[in-house]
Amino acid sequence: MGGQEKDPREFLPLTPAVLEILLALAEQDLHGYAIMREVERRTDGETRLGPGTLYRSVGQLLERGWVREADERPDPELDDERRRYYRLTELGRRAAMAEVERLEELVRTAHRKGLVPAPRPRTAQGEAS
Amino acid sequence: VAPPHEPHGRAVSGSERLYRALLAAYPKVFRRAYGREMAQVFRCMCREEVVSSGSRGLVRLWVRTLLDLLATALAERIKQALGISTLVGSSSKLVGWSGVAAAAGGVLLIAYGILSWVNETRLYGEVTNIGGEKLGPQWALGIVQGVGYLLFLGGLAGLFGLVERARRARPTQAGSVRSLSFSVAWCSAVAGIVLIGLAAAAMVAGVVQLATVGVVTIGGPGGIPRVSFLEMALGVSAWLVVSGLPLGIVLLGVAVLEWGLLGRWKALPLAVGLLMNPLLNLFLFYLLALIKGADISDGDIMTVPTAWPNWSGFYTYVVPNAILGASWMLLGWVIWSGQGERLGSGVEEASR
């Protein structure tokens, strides 16, 4: 479907949804709903992917060869067999790393220019300035 | 489907059914690939929201999901339209047919201008106060104009395809500015295609009246009348059609010029886009009206004809549509007659 592989750097910057999905798949294979939940959990509910955004992004990732359908299922006994699991490919991992590198460089530049955000208070009382 | 004994089971299963129906907004290929999974995910989301926040949560989820569906379905439809144009561009035969479509669109537009003129004269000649029943042919005229525009857009698909082919043949020369102008041309024209469909539907429904090419009647002697939200939305859509579509064609014309396509006719698409510009259109009309001494003192471009020949209507309907229709026919001929095929050798020479 994807044809010849392109250098992931050609696709930078990635959309937030695509990067979130790549991050969610970095450690384990997940199905669509689990990806959505993982993104929501990791961002404390700040990022919620709709089904359209999720599967549009998954479609792009499949086309680019950054993600593929996993052959085996984590636990076939406990799971709905109609669900498809997605796995990060080596190319997808490189794409995520390239994007993270780009973001790191951006943050370093921001710091050099004095744009350093104040640390966020962990608790609501007392610590907020 | 959620079992009925689950809390809010009916709301969840009803929501899922509705969501499945709404998936029709996506192109068939996308729906086949992901529709089932999307519905499954949405059902899980519904259950979770209902359990955690009750029916309020379900309403919030629906709002979020509808926005998501609208944005992504539109994006997929645009992607599909681009894919079709690329396909057209890859086939010389299809490029030729797209030229025929553009020329046929031009013929229909000219016919629309003449028929509108004759129709208006006939109506005003018979009665001074136009009754609703006398406006019968208006919808038929709307269809002639709408089909003409659609055929012309089919011609543009061939032109887009040619530009895309050139872009692929010379990837190293595709600078960011060129890519940007190309992308903007695509987006504007596709948005124009969608919006003109809406306007055509509205016109057929008799809600919005496109008076002539590039001019939309939204006001009256007493200022802009009170309109419903639907009428206002359709009015804005119609304005976007008459402004967005020409902008897309102008940008496409710039891309054709940059790539040196269509041989000596390379400036033609740009000229067509400029001709379609509503401001230029309006300027031309006023210029002609002034030359011919038509009464435009009340700021209204329409004058009531009292005798044949109705020259005011002639300059309103026939002249602009004939100019534009002729330009479409010329562009269609250029594409059909193989001028676009010179592109192949031109691109190869340039990339050497």
Side-chain angles (χ1 to χ4, degrees):
Chain A
M1 208 171 166
Q4 66 185 80
E5 286 178 0
K6 277 187 177 178
D7 183 351
R9 287 177 189 279
E10 284 184 32
F11 295 98
L12 301 189
L14 303 182
T15 63
V18 163
L19 184 59
E20 291 288 1
I21 294 169
L22 292 177
L23 288 177
L25 294 172
E27 288 178 332
Q28 56 180 325
D29 301 347
L30 294 172
H31 55 73
Y33 186 58
I35 293 173
M36 196 182 272
R37 293 298 309 272
E38 169 61 17
V39 170
E40 204 174 324
R41 186 197 62 76
R42 210 182 42 72
T43 61
D44 288 334
E46 278 187 24
T47 303
R48 291 175 167 189
L49 302 176
T53 305
L54 174 70
Y55 282 99
R56 231 189 135 241
S57 306
V58 166
Q60 285 173 357
L61 295 175
L62 286 167
E63 267 177 37
R64 292 173 193 173
W66 295 2
V67 155
R68 67 174 175 84
E69 275 185 48
D71 302 324
E72 65 272 15
R73 314 175 68 76
D75 191 348
E77 291 295 313
L78 296 173
D79 199 36
D80 184 342
E81 61 180 19
R82 290 171 302 176
R83 274 180 168 157
R84 277 187 284 189
Y85 279 75
Y86 299 99
R87 174 173 296 173
L88 192 63
T89 64
E90 191 44 45
L91 193 63
R93 196 170 289 277
R94 273 182 12 226
M97 281 160 65
E99 175 68 353
V100 170
E101 205 177 309
R102 188 188 70 82
L103 290 172
E104 272 180 349
E105 180 54 37
L106 205 66
V107 171
R108 272 199 295 274
T109 307
H111 278 228
R112 273 202 305 274
K113 290 177 182 287
L115 294 172
V116 185
R120 271 204 227 174
R122 299 296 296 174
T123 54
Q125 288 97 5
E127 292 178 14
S129 56
Chain B
V1 176
H5 60 267
E6 277 188 20
H8 301 280
R10 290 177 77 177
V12 171
S13 57
S15 291
E16 190 197 345
R17 272 201 297 275
L18 183 58
Y19 185 70
R20 274 184 197 279
L22 290 174
L23 286 177
Y26 291 97
K28 198 184 267 181
V29 178
F30 184 85
R31 223 163 49 228
R32 276 193 186 151
Y34 306 110
R36 192 182 51 76
E37 278 181 89
M38 285 167 77
Q40 200 175 24
V41 164
F42 182 68
R43 186 180 62 222
C44 294
M45 291 167 83
C46 282
R47 278 185 184 160
E48 195 184 283
E49 282 294 340
V50 160
V51 168
S52 62
S53 318
S55 44
R56 275 192 176 188
L58 194 61
V59 171
R60 279 199 300 270
L61 174 66
W62 260 113
V63 172
R64 279 205 323 264
T65 306
L66 282 177
L67 291 173
D68 175 70
L69 187 137
L70 211 66
T72 53
L74 186 65
E76 279 301 314
R77 290 278 173 192
I78 289 172
K79 188 179 160 191
Q80 188 192 34
L82 301 189
I84 289 169
S85 293
T86 307
L87 181 73
V88 171
S90 66
S91 158
S92 301
K93 210 177 234 180
L94 287 175
V95 168
W97 278 109
S98 73
V100 173
V107 171
L108 280 183
L109 196 68
I110 294 170
Y112 163 76
I114 295 169
L115 290 172
S116 296
W117 177 45
V118 172
N119 181 49
E120 190 204 55
T121 307
R122 186 183 64 80
L123 287 173
Y124 278 107
E126 286 178 8
V127 284
T128 48
N129 187 15
I130 303 171
E133 72 279 5
K134 289 286 180 187
L135 288 171
Q138 290 287 333
W139 64 266
L141 289 173
I143 288 177
V144 173
Q145 189 193 30
V147 172
Y149 264 84
L150 284 175
L151 283 170
F152 174 65
L153 289 170
L156 283 187
L159 205 56
F160 278 133
L162 286 177
V163 177
E164 175 65 6
R165 199 202 286 179
R167 204 172 68 97
R168 281 172 188 232
R170 284 185 287 185
T172 50
Q173 292 179 29
S176 58
V177 176
R178 282 177 176 172
S179 301
L180 179 70
S181 72
F182 184 71
S183 306
V184 173
W186 263 121
C187 293
S188 306
V190 173
I193 291 169
V194 172
L195 289 169
I196 206 161
L198 280 175
M203 222 163 29
V204 170
V207 182
V208 172
Q209 185 188 4
L210 283 175
T212 182
V213 182
V215 180
V216 183
T217 308
I218 55 167
I224 296 174
R226 284 186 180 184
V227 290
S228 69
F229 176 75
L230 176 71
E231 286 172 319
M232 203 167 67
L234 288 170
V236 171
S237 299
W239 270 110
L240 284 169
V241 170
V242 295
S243 310
L245 186 64
L247 175 68
I249 297 168
V250 163
L251 290 168
L252 175 68
V254 171
V256 169
L257 214 55
E258 277 186 8
W259 290 104
L261 311 179
L262 303 184
R264 64 192 163 121
W265 296 102
K266 57 178 176 281
L268 183 60
L270 182 62
V272 171
L274 290 173
L275 265 179
M276 290 175 76
N277 187 298
L279 287 176
L280 183 70
N281 204 275
L282 205 62
F283 173 75
L284 273 178
F285 172 77
Y286 275 109
L287 192 67
L288 283 164
L290 284 171
I291 290 169
K292 286 292 164 188
D295 179 17
I296 52 169
S297 56
D298 59 355
D300 193 347
I301 60 164
M302 305 292 288
T303 54
V304 179
T306 52
W308 181 265
N310 161 25
W311 291 116
S312 168
F314 181 81
Y315 292 116
T316 304
Y317 293 111
V318 181
V319 174
N321 285 301
I323 293 172
L324 199 55
S327 73
W328 290 5
M329 285 169 68
L330 181 61
L331 184 60
W333 173 77
V334 169
I335 297 170
W336 173 77
S337 64
Q339 300 288 336
E341 291 311 298
R342 291 184 188 173
L343 161 75
S345 55
V347 167
E348 280 154 22
E349 281 164 22
S351 55
R352 261 177 220 150

